[in-house]
């Protein structure tokens, strides 16, 4: 899991860059800033965007607009953001599914990451394995036993085939004894959760933050989280490592990218504003309630993490013979 010490390191770097940031403040921003969320409302990325929106607006002194553009495991919104003017007024908020789609490029379409430059790795947290109260799976062990007894028969929803949740699910199933299920794709975590609440699928793998409110309300059952330790906000939810996959840990993360060519001063200013938001006690409390930790890596550190995540996802895709569009 990513540790909060990265946030402290990022803050120190920001302090050193303060004179540059101060000069940038007079130039950028002088109008509203749009954050493209390449998922429909209701999922984990959208949840963080809503936490970020008001305090980031206050830090920047300009309105921050959230623009949800879902579809194709995040590709539609990402492509839209890649075509924006590189002026700092369009920022893309991504999770590790972007690394997954780069690990599984669609034939005949360009990879999109080279069109961006990393700005800030903002938060990290676990994925979650959820079911509905009528499924008969009260525990992760019961789910694993059913999957083992009926290979390929359980339907597990994911926010798009080739998404980070899909590949994390494959990593978890492998670690749990090479289990096999049928993955059902959705346009995002929000639509998936609605179908899961209705009992139309057996289980789902989504960012834990997305399903946590419904689990707290009794609409869903949280079977496991993919963090190393249990969440302080949800201590009753066991980790996958202590239940069905010893030692298993897989973090999900969210970060901000700018179209390549965005002025360095604008990136510095935006990064500094995000770091300030991540220091806010109210924001930290809201993130903890969702199951997220603030991180605050700068663009260089974010880029390194992105590359490592691509390698991990490409590896499981090769092992499971997963291709884009499967």
């Amino acid at each position: 899991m990513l540790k909060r010490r990265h946030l402290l390191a990022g803050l120190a770097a920001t302090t050193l860059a303060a004179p540059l940031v101060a000069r940038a403040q007079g130039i950028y921003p002088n109008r509203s800033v749009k954050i493209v969320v390449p998922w429909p409302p209701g999922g984990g990325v959208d949840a963080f965007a809503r936490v970020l929106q008001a305090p980031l607006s206050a830090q920047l002194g300009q309105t921050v607009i959230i623009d949800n553009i879902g579809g194709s495991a995040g590709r539609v919104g990402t492509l839209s953001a890649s075509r924006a003017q590189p002026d700092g007024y369009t920022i893309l908020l991504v999770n590790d599914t972007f690394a997954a789609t780069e690990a599984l490029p669609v034939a005949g379409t360009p990879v999109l990451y080279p069109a961006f430059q990393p700005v800030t790795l903002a938060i990290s947290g676990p994925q979650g394995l959820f079911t509905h109260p009528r499924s008969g799976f009260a525990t992760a062990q019961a789910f694993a036993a059913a999957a083992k007894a009926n290979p390929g028969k359980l339907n597990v929803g994911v926010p798009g085939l080739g998404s980070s949740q899909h590949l994390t699910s494959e990593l978890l199933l492998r670690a749990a004894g090479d289990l096999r299920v049928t993955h059902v794709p959705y346009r995002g975590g929000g639509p998936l959760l609605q179908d899961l609440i209705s009992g139309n699928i057996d289980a789902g793998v989504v960012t834990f933050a997305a399903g946590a409110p419904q689990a707290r309300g009794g609409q869903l059952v949280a079977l496991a989280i993919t963090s190393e330790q249990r969440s302080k906000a949800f201590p009753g939810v066991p980790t996958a490592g202590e239940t069905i996959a010893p030692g298993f840990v897989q973090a999900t993360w969210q970060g901000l990218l700018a179209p390549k060519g965005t002025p360095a001063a604008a990136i510095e200013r935006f990064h500094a504003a995000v770091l300030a938001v991540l220091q806010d006690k109210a924001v930290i409390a809201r993130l903890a309630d969702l199951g997220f930790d603030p991180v605050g890596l700068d663009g260089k550190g974010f880029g390194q993490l992105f590359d490592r995540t691509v390698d991990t996802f490409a590896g499981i895709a090769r092992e499971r013979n997963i291709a884009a569009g499967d």
Side-chain angles (χ1 to χ4, degrees), residues 86-173:
D87 54 11
Y89 292 95
T90 298
I91 302 292
L92 178 67
L93 175 59
V94 299
N95 64 356
D96 49 340
T97 282
F98 189 23
T101 57
E102 293 297 280
L104 290 170
V106 176
T109 63
V111 293
L112 294 174
Y113 182 60
F116 296 95
Q117 55 196 97
V119 177
T120 308
L121 189 285
I123 59 173
S124 70
Q127 304 279 17
L129 173 63
F130 295 89
T131 189
H132 58 88
R134 303 172 303 284
S135 68
F137 309 134
T139 64
Q141 293 92 326
F143 168 83
K148 183 176 181 179
N150 303 280
K153 291 187 178 181
L154 293 186
N155 293 319
V156 176
V158 290
L161 296 181
S163 65
S164 68
Q165 292 87 351
H166 176 203
L167 298 179
T168 294
S169 179
E170 295 285 11
L171 288 164
L172 175 59
L173 292 168

Side-chain angles (χ1 to χ4, degrees), residues 251-262:
T252 182
W253 45 255
Q254 294 186 32
L256 297 136
L257 305 170
K260 182 146 292 192
T262 298

Side-chain angles (χ1 to χ4, degrees), residues 59-299:
Q59 285 291 328
L60 292 173
Q62 297 289 342
T63 301
V64 172
I65 300 167
I66 305 300
D67 188 10
N68 294 87
I69 308 176
S72 190
R75 288 185 180 92
V76 175
T78 300
L79 181 61
S80 175
S82 74
R83 294 169 173 166
Q85 289 294 320
D87 54 11
Y89 292 95
T90 298
I91 302 292
L92 178 67
L93 175 59
V94 299
N95 64 356
D96 49 340
T97 282
F98 189 23
T101 57
E102 293 297 280
L104 290 170
V106 176
T109 63
V111 293
L112 294 174
Y113 182 60
F116 296 95
Q117 55 196 97
V119 177
T120 308
L121 189 285
I123 59 173
S124 70
Q127 304 279 17
L129 173 63
F130 295 89
T131 189
H132 58 88
R134 303 172 303 284
S135 68
F137 309 134
T139 64
Q141 293 92 326
F143 168 83
K148 183 176 181 179
N150 303 280
K153 291 187 178 181
L154 293 186
N155 293 319
V156 176
V158 290
L161 296 181
S163 65
S164 68
Q165 292 87 351
H166 176 203
L167 298 179
T168 294
S169 179
E170 295 285 11
L171 288 164
L172 175 59
L173 292 168
R174 181 186 67 182
D178 202 29
L179 304 177
R180 301 285 170 160
V181 301
T182 296
H183 285 104
V184 180
Y186 288 82
R187 292 183 66 247
L192 185 165
L193 290 168
Q194 289 303 312
D195 228 19
L196 184 56
I197 289 169
S198 299
N200 295 327
I201 50 176
D202 298 310
V205 175
V206 295
T207 303
F208 186 73
Q214 293 88 337
R216 182 184 283 117
Q219 296 171 290
L220 293 176
V221 177
L223 297 176
I225 59 176
T226 64
S227 52
E228 183 176 4
Q229 298 177 342
R230 295 191 182 200
S231 167
K232 292 180 180 179
F234 298 87
V237 181
T239 67
E242 69 183 283
T243 52
I244 60 174
F248 183 81
V249 177
Q250 181 66 31
T252 182
W253 45 255
Q254 294 186 32
L256 297 136
L257 305 170
K260 182 146 292 192
T262 298
I267 288 178
E268 281 184 10
R269 175 74 177 107
F270 193 89
H271 174 66
V274 172
L275 288 182
V277 170
L278 294 177
Q279 293 180 81
D280 185 88
K281 291 181 179 179
V283 171
I284 292 170
R286 291 182 67 188
L287 291 175
D289 194 48
L290 290 170
F292 286 124
D293 289 319
V295 181
L297 279 177
D298 63 9

